[in-house]
Amino acid sequence: MAKKEPVKVQECPAQERIASFCEVVLGYNEEEALKEAARCLQCKNPACIQGCPVNIDIKTFINKLTKKDYAGAYLTIKEKNNFPSICGRVCPAEYQCRKACVLTPKNSPFASEAAINIHFLERFAGDFGKDKVLSLSEKKDREKSSAFRVAVVGSGPAGLCCAGELARQGVHVTIFEGLHNSGGVLRYGIPPFRLPRNILDFEIDYLKKLGVKIILNFIIGKTKTLDELFKEGFAAIFLGLGAGTPSFLGVPGKNLCNIYSANEFLTRVNLMNAFQFPKSHTPINIGKKIIVIGGGNTAMDAARVATRLQKMNGFDVDTTVFYRRTETEMPARRLEIQHAKEEGIKFEFLMQPVAFKGDDNGYVHTMTCLRCQLGSPDASGRRKSIPIEHSAFDTPCDIAIIAVGLEANTLLTQAVPELKTNKFKNLVVNLKTMQTSIKGVYAGGDIVGGEGTIIEAMGMAKKATQAIIKYLESRHSKKNLKQQIPNSK
Ligand code: FAD
Ligand code: SF4
């Protein structure tokens, strides 16, 4: 067992960071990365690799770090993960590779502190590679060219990953994005203090350098149909539509003013710069008592954004997260919960909102809640939350942000009934090829379902890309295609 203490990562102090949107986790410097990498036991059967949804060769990349072969570490990660700088910042490692690390005790619900800080090491290698290695492969990647055109719908991690993989194979890719900026949740959902925009912009600019075209403000299914894309000469289509439809609480008063869905709240701030109103055209209301309902990453992001807006607008920080289970069952990243607490956010566990009350002008002022207790585990394995009779109480609230879940984006699937969906409105795909019910149309990411993580979305996109290349090959003679796509196998 490793005896050395885990190397702490540097962070911007809580009081300083809540007055801005600057990055919270500052990452390892070289000395710290080497020290942390040296803690890895280089297990004979490394469990961490199985814990990673795309099976990055974690043992090898950490070993390369210990030898100061930073480029080698970066390239090892890139074999499985297109955007290490992004994943190193936002991957829920404590539920994945770090939880599986041999230094986490068995049956622990999430990684122990002793587990190797794989995500911080990945971020170190990712940032090194982004600055020093990627430019070396750019010329080589750009030289490949083929006659094939593929359309990618949606510019979230699934769409970006698919576009990058295809572009590297010489395929001409056009991304169609409904919003006015690219990145999907990476831009409109996750705040810049977790994922600085220069990191995201760098990866998107690199795709553009490889020849990927990005057409914004363009909704496939409305502005153009799938058939039209095929008729225009796109040989295949990848759908990375995401799960951008918010769920609401079906309780009285849910439509009162100043009750936001977390998606709307975060989109207004992250994508539309509402915190700069009136300089930006999008306003956002801020209150003295903000309540966020939910226990996932979206709830943590909404609460931490709300806290910053309170601070930046001269209010006392008073944001409370209400969650129906306990902290142990919260699906949010442990790191984000810890950061939220450090930033002064309060938590009320075992709470079920049952109504909102408002004033004569229709603005919310009170939330009514029932207290709950935990019952037996449900289908997700988490213990059910059971409301306690006669436990209702009122609590003041002048802004409520609802973060209780997201559903599939149905803009396209509603318009194309031939696309088979399941009861959750997710696209049904062949899990080996990621092909949908329409030949030549593939899908990946949240629109297909799964754990709803960035790395999983990218893993699905990578799988789809391999199938798309095979599909292109099958439509044309192999010889012909090899001439057109030099690197295809
Ligand atoms: P998305 O990122 O949703 O992108 C889909 C894109 O498709 C959008 O830009 C949308 O506008 C576009 N689109 C949809 N339909 C059309 C159409 N018909 N025409 C054109 N464009 C269209 N995961 C983690 O791993 N770690 C985290 O810390 C984390 N935090 C999160 C925080 C928040 C607030 C949210 C909402 C999610 C978070 N997640 C996190 C989940 C993660 O972001 C998603 O699993 C991931 O973004 C899914 O990627 P995607 O490409 O499938 O979809
Ligand atoms: Fe073993 Fe953990 Fe190192 Fe993976 S990260 S090789 S599980 S010590």
Side-chain angles (χ1 to χ4, degrees):
M1 289 282 149
K3 297 236 166 46
K4 294 173 208 144
E5 285 293 305
V7 179
K8 282 216 173 332
V9 75
Q10 292 183 40
E11 291 176 353
C12 179
Q15 280 315 307
E16 200 179 303
R17 70 194 188 221
I18 61 169
S20 77
F21 277 70
C22 66
E23 190 169 19
V24 172
V25 177
L26 304 175
Y28 283 152
N29 60 27
E30 184 178 4
E31 189 191 336
E32 290 161 341
L34 286 172
K35 217 166 147 194
E36 182 64 13
R39 291 178 62 235
C40 174
L41 304 174
Q42 291 292 302
C43 304
K44 196 166 166 220
N45 297 311
C48 52
I49 299 179
Q50 300 310 319
C52 168
V54 295
N55 304 127
I56 293 172
D57 189 345
I58 294 167
K59 177 178 162 178
T60 301
F61 105 72
I62 294 184
N63 187 252
K64 289 190 174 170
L65 285 182
T66 61
K67 295 179 176 142
K68 297 195 180 181
D69 177 8
Y70 305 134
Y74 173 72
L75 293 172
T76 303
I77 302 170
K78 282 279 275 191
E79 282 170 22
K80 297 285 171 72
N81 174 357
N82 274 31
F83 306 123
S85 284
I86 294 178
C87 288
R89 285 171 168 81
V90 295
C91 237
E94 56 270 48
Y95 296 111
Q96 301 178 344
C97 55
R98 295 191 65 231
K99 181 179 164 186
C101 172
V102 70
L103 299 172
T104 293
K106 278 211 163 62
N107 300 326
S108 171
F110 33 80
S112 71
E113 270 191 34
I116 306 298
N117 281 307
I118 301 167
H119 54 321
F120 294 145
L121 293 176
E122 177 170 345
R123 169 182 165 149
F124 175 80
D127 287 356
F128 177 91
K130 178 175 81 56
D131 297 335
K132 308 245 165 55
V133 184
L134 206 54
S135 54
L136 302 179
S137 62
E138 187 189 320
K139 194 168 165 285
K140 206 171 95 215
D141 285 344
R142 273 161 59 159
E143 273 167 3
K144 297 170 203 160
S145 181
S146 82
F148 298 106
R149 294 168 66 212
V150 171
V152 169
V153 185
S155 66
L160 293 177
C161 175
C162 178
E165 288 283 302
L166 288 172
R168 263 182 281 277
Q169 296 285 325
V171 176
H172 297 278
V173 183
T174 304
I175 300 181
F176 295 92
E177 168 55 54
L179 295 172
H180 68 269
N181 208 341
S182 47
V185 172
L186 301 178
R187 191 177 305 274
Y188 77 73
I190 297 181
F193 53 80
R194 282 215 289 137
L195 179 61
R197 295 309 182 242
N198 62 332
I199 302 285
L200 177 59
D201 290 341
F202 178 92
E203 298 292 1
I204 293 173
D205 285 346
Y206 186 74
L207 296 189
K208 288 183 187 162
K209 282 184 191 162
L210 296 188
V212 173
K213 271 194 217 146
I214 304 184
I215 301 183
L216 302 170
N217 299 311
F218 204 104
I219 298 178
I220 299 299
K222 299 265 180 219
T223 323
K224 217 165 246 185
T225 64
L226 292 183
D227 275 349
E228 283 171 319
L229 291 180
F230 279 129
K231 277 183 197 140
E232 279 178 16
F234 289 104
I237 301 172
F238 174 82
L239 306 178
L241 311 173
T245 313
S247 307
F248 289 95
L249 294 167
V251 301
K254 64 178 190 294
N255 292 326
L256 286 166
C257 297
N258 282 350
I259 301 183
Y260 290 95
S261 76
N263 248 32
E264 179 188 346
F265 183 79
L266 289 170
T267 303
R268 277 175 183 260
V269 178
N270 293 332
L271 184 73
M272 324 275 283
N273 301 323
F275 61 97
Q276 289 175 335
F277 184 81
K279 206 173 127 201
S280 91
H281 297 296
T282 307
I284 191 105
N285 287 346
I286 294 303
K288 287 185 183 157
K289 275 212 163 294
I290 302 185
I291 284 179
V292 177
I293 296 151
N297 285 321
T298 310
M300 289 307 98
D301 282 343
R304 297 176 69 202
V305 164
T307 299
R308 281 160 176 74
L309 294 181
Q310 282 183 318
K311 182 82 178 172
M312 288 160 81
N313 284 283
F315 292 94
D316 289 338
V317 169
D318 189 348
T319 298
T320 310
V321 173
F322 279 67
Y323 179 53
R324 61 191 171 136
R325 296 181 169 103
T326 71
E327 184 171 338
T328 312
E329 288 82 27
M330 279 178 83
R333 291 192 61 194
R334 296 291 122 181
L335 191 67
E336 309 310 329
I337 300 171
Q338 180 197 318
H339 284 154
K341 285 181 181 170
E342 289 165 9
E343 289 164 10
I345 292 163
K346 294 171 274 181
F347 287 81
E348 291 286 354
F349 295 111
L350 293 165
M351 296 289 174
Q352 168 105 49
V354 288
F356 291 102
K357 291 171 204 151
D359 61 21
D360 294 343
N361 296 319
Y363 283 82
V364 66
H365 59 56
T366 302
M367 178 174 82
T368 306
C369 263
L370 286 177
R371 295 186 193 281
C372 300
Q373 59 192 5
L374 287 182
S376 48
D378 64 12
S380 72
R382 285 178 306 166
R383 293 179 67 189
K384 270 187 224 144
S385 145
I386 303 168
I388 301 170
E389 262 183 76
H390 310 301
S391 63
F393 69 97
D394 282 350
T395 185
C397 143
D398 52 12
I399 301 278
I401 305 170
I402 316 295
V404 294
L406 293 164
E407 288 177 11
N409 186 327
T410 55
L411 271 176
L412 177 63
T413 50
Q414 274 177 354
V416 187
E418 298 84 5
L419 279 172
K420 205 170 153 202
T421 54
N422 63 17
K423 63 176 178 181
F424 303 110
K425 300 179 195 152
N426 291 325
L427 280 172
V428 174
V429 295
N430 170 335
L431 287 174
K432 281 196 187 129
T433 62
M434 306 309 286
Q435 187 170 248
T436 65
S437 49
I438 302 180
K439 200 171 169 205
V441 179
Y442 297 78
D446 282 4
I447 190 63
V448 170
E451 293 293 316
T453 61
I454 290 157
I455 188 70
E456 201 191 17
M458 298 200 314
M460 289 189 212
K462 208 154 181 153
K463 208 198 272 182
T465 312
Q466 285 157 5
I468 292 172
I469 292 287
K470 277 202 186 128
Y471 176 72
L472 296 178
E473 283 177 350
S474 73
R475 294 185 73 210
H476 298 263
S477 84
K478 218 167 184 170
K479 189 167 162 259
N480 188 22
L481 187 82
K482 285 225 175 215
Q483 280 165 359
Q484 297 174 75
I485 305 179
N487 259 17
S488 74
K489 284 179 189 153

